[in-house]
Amino acid sequence: MIFHTRDFNITEKLDYFAAGASVMYGLYYTPIRVFRLDQNSQAKQSVLRAWTAICISLYLCHVTYLTAWSWDYTYNMAANVAAGIVQNVLWSWFSIQRYRKLQKTWAAWPGLIVAWIILAMSLELFDFAPWGRMVDAHSLWHLGTVGPTIWWYSFLIKDAQEDLASHRLKA
Ligand SMILES: [Zn+2]
């Protein structure tokens, strides 16, 4: 928010690195939930440790490249879109599997949220001249992310409740 009102070197860096960290965190936890890497088996714990190290390294390389090598907008966008697409594919696939298994509408939410995000993301990729010199594609992208954030939070709650209920049944 500060960057969008005060465009300085430091605010730009903070905006980009925070956005990158948020995308990276999404990429990190998606396989943890989809493949249940949070479960307490030796093999899964080792995979989780390796995945954690990979994600931290990738993020540090990303920040180092942008800071020490070149402040490359095209690379930054490509890296974020690539990380985003991987999560989108995983969540869409997961959503289809879960919907088939549970037969509950909310199980399909991640797929629908992904579709919404892709539509909003197209505003980032297909930029246009601002309407009335005020409303630009990037502001609409930010506006478009409000809805799916709330929706996503509701899904996470439903998913956790479902998990708890299925564990109670097994116990
Ligand atoms: Zn922004």
Side-chain angles (χ1 to χ4, degrees):
M1 274 160 45
I2 297 167
F3 168 61
H4 287 306
T5 54
R6 290 289 181 270
D7 186 351
F8 303 126
N9 190 22
I10 180 75
T11 53
E12 186 180 32
K13 285 203 160 48
L14 287 172
D15 182 46
Y16 279 60
F17 294 155
S22 146
V23 170
M24 193 66 226
Y25 187 68
L27 182 65
Y28 173 64
Y29 82 73
T30 302
I32 296 178
R33 171 59 191 94
V34 170
F35 305 117
R36 295 308 322 232
L37 297 181
D38 56 316
Q39 279 168 353
N40 243 337
S41 84
Q42 281 286 8
K44 285 189 171 182
Q45 288 299 303
S46 317
V47 175
L48 179 58
R49 265 195 298 275
W51 178 237
T52 306
I54 290 169
C55 288
I56 292 172
S57 313
L58 277 176
Y59 182 70
L60 291 178
C61 289
H62 176 74
V63 171
T64 308
Y65 174 74
L66 288 172
T67 322
W69 205 259
S70 94
W71 186 251
D72 185 338
Y73 290 98
T74 312
Y75 155 74
N76 181 65
M77 176 69 91
N80 280 289
V81 168
I85 287 171
V86 174
Q87 317 171 31
N88 288 352
V89 169
L90 279 169
W91 280 116
S92 301
W93 171 75
F94 176 77
S95 194
I96 295 165
Q97 304 290 318
R98 293 294 281 172
Y99 181 72
R100 282 194 183 144
K101 189 168 179 243
L102 299 171
Q103 292 291 320
K104 282 175 184 156
T105 319
W106 65 264
W109 287 357
L112 300 169
I113 295 167
V114 160
W116 183 333
I117 295 284
I118 290 169
L119 281 178
M121 207 162 70
S122 60
L123 288 163
E124 286 279 86
L125 300 174
F126 306 107
D127 203 6
F128 55 83
W131 301 333
R133 294 177 145 201
M134 276 201 292
V135 180
D136 68 354
H138 189 70
S139 68
L140 293 174
W141 144 256
H142 276 301
L143 183 66
T145 58
V146 177
T149 306
I150 299 165
W151 195 3
W152 184 246
Y153 196 74
S154 312
F155 165 75
L156 292 177
I157 293 170
K158 293 249 184 223
D159 186 49
Q161 285 170 338
E162 167 69 32
D163 194 44
L164 210 63
S166 71
H167 277 294
R168 281 210 193 100
L169 281 175
K170 278 179 206 153

